[in-house]
Amino acid sequence: MVVALIALGMGVLTAPAPASVEDRGLLQVPVEMSVDPLVFYPAHDDYLDYLAVRLYESRDIDETMRSIDFTITNEAGAVVVAERGNTTQFYLNDELHFGWTGHYGYTDRLYPEGTYTITLTVVDRNNRRKVMTQDVRLDPARWRTKTWRRTVNAAATVIDRDRGKCGALKRPARPTWSGSLGYRSRSCARRRESYAATANAIYFPRDPNWKWASVRLDIFGGSARGHRGSEIGYAYLTDEGKWLTGMTAGSRVRLHRGHEQYKRHFLGVADGKPHFIWSAGVGGGASYDVKSFTVVATYRVFS
């Protein structure tokens, strides 16, 4: 069993980091310290937001330690954390964990940005002393979620189109809607020929620091005149070439909020540019006018 001593928080240790060492005594005290990470971001966003310190044996220890002291000091030398480890528990388990959340107590208030010094001081039963130090940096940066939005005339987004013998695409859909697109289908003997559809696409900004998280399509439009109650169906294309279908925009002329998808595989990449592809269409005698499409995407950026 590993016994953990946590100073102002809890966390999980990952890769070790080297520490400077001062030894006093005839023989080296057989313990070492690792610190990870050397730069941490205590913003509670699950990204390197906890500082983990581990004290462990470098070889078998035949006796308990007299004292184990853990301190953190700021750039001015003031102590911000001071704890003493349980020497008996260290003897039994050969490992102790310390840690720091970078917060004042259990509040959301962060310590100031800057360099802090981690110090572990160990004294054994023979009064041999070992001081281990490591500088770390507290950075207040965090992952932030932001929104990208682009509204484009319906016709300007079309990359492909298809229609049956009883279907048509009208541009503009209405005289006062510049760049709009009318989707038309009418009843005919072969029902499967009564459709009109387009494939549409839009590019996103190319920024390697942006981590795209979700995407949504909003449609401004409504039933064509004389076709009250008509709706339009739409679908999103995944990066595996499959369509997510079953979504519709209602008949009333207004902005129809679409379905938000949080999986990143709805965002493809072509020629190094991130993009989003969707389709829209009518069938079975429905007719629908689309003035514009609005693509709303969220992304995360570290700042």
Side-chain angles (χ1 to χ4, degrees):
M1 179 182 68
V2 175
V3 178
L5 174 65
I6 303 299
L8 305 179
M10 300 180 66
V12 178
L13 183 72
T14 55
S20 61
V21 176
E22 173 192 354
D23 282 298
R24 297 176 184 175
L26 297 176
L27 297 174
Q28 182 184 40
V29 181
V31 292
E32 301 293 341
M33 177 180 75
S34 68
V35 180
D36 183 69
L38 296 184
V39 179
F40 78 118
Y41 309 88
H44 288 327
D45 59 359
D46 296 324
Y47 178 73
L48 299 180
D49 52 8
Y50 178 78
L51 183 70
V53 180
R54 183 169 68 105
L55 178 67
Y56 61 95
E57 287 185 337
S58 58
R59 63 175 187 271
D60 290 340
I61 297 176
D62 295 327
E63 59 178 301
T64 60
M65 299 292 103
R66 184 180 298 277
S67 65
I68 301 173
D69 295 306
F70 171 69
T71 61
I72 301 176
T73 54
N74 61 21
E75 294 175 354
V79 176
V80 298
V81 174
E83 295 289 334
R84 172 158 288 190
N86 188 315
T87 57
T88 301
Q89 290 175 335
F90 181 73
Y91 173 69
L92 295 175
N93 299 283
D94 306 328
E95 187 168 299
L96 274 179
H97 288 186
F98 300 82
W100 189 35
T101 65
H103 291 249
Y104 286 90
Y106 293 96
T107 72
D108 290 331
R109 183 185 172 197
L110 290 179
Y111 276 93
E113 178 180 5
T115 299
Y116 293 81
T117 301
I118 309 298
T119 303
L120 266 177
T121 303
V122 179
V123 179
D124 70 7
R125 292 296 179 179
N126 296 318
N127 286 323
R128 294 178 300 182
R129 177 185 179 89
K130 185 169 188 176
V131 180
M132 294 159 283
T133 63
Q134 177 65 63
D135 287 341
V136 298
R137 181 161 185 81
L138 186 155
D139 192 321
R142 63 180 302 159
W143 284 104
R144 305 176 191 275
T145 299
K146 297 188 177 184
T147 301
W148 180 89
R149 182 189 306 267
R150 180 66 54 82
T151 298
V152 183
N153 290 337
T157 66
V158 175
I159 57 174
D160 198 6
R161 63 192 68 207
D162 189 20
R163 58 185 180 273
K165 292 181 179 179
C166 300
L169 293 168
K170 181 182 178 182
R171 180 180 177 185
R174 300 184 181 189
T176 57
W177 286 7
S178 176
S180 62
L181 196 58
Y183 296 78
R184 305 286 185 262
S185 69
R186 64 180 188 275
S187 299
C188 62
R190 302 183 66 180
R191 184 176 177 84
R192 64 182 182 181
E193 293 291 341
S194 177
Y195 71 91
T198 60
N200 310 69
I202 196 168
Y203 283 107
F204 294 111
R206 180 168 51 187
D207 190 323
N209 297 316
W210 291 13
K211 308 299 180 184
W212 295 100
S214 71
V215 66
R216 186 184 84 230
L217 178 71
D218 297 343
I219 300 174
F220 188 96
S223 299
R225 292 185 174 91
H227 294 269
R228 184 177 180 181
S230 290
E231 297 184 341
I232 191 169
Y234 63 97
Y236 300 162
L237 183 66
T238 73
D239 58 6
E240 297 175 345
K242 298 178 181 179
W243 290 101
L244 176 68
T245 61
M247 299 175 285
T248 59
S251 60
R252 185 180 175 185
V253 177
R254 64 178 179 86
L255 181 65
H256 300 271
R257 181 186 174 95
H259 292 263
E260 189 168 18
Q261 296 298 325
Y262 290 92
K263 296 181 180 180
R264 291 181 59 192
H265 62 238
F266 287 97
L267 301 171
V269 177
D271 299 325
K273 298 179 180 179
H275 65 268
F276 171 55
I277 296 177
W278 70 95
S279 68
V282 297
S287 290
Y288 200 91
D289 295 339
V290 178
K291 181 179 182 181
S292 63
F293 292 110
T294 297
V295 176
V296 182
T298 62
Y299 62 94
R300 300 181 74 208
V301 62
F302 197 67
S303 63

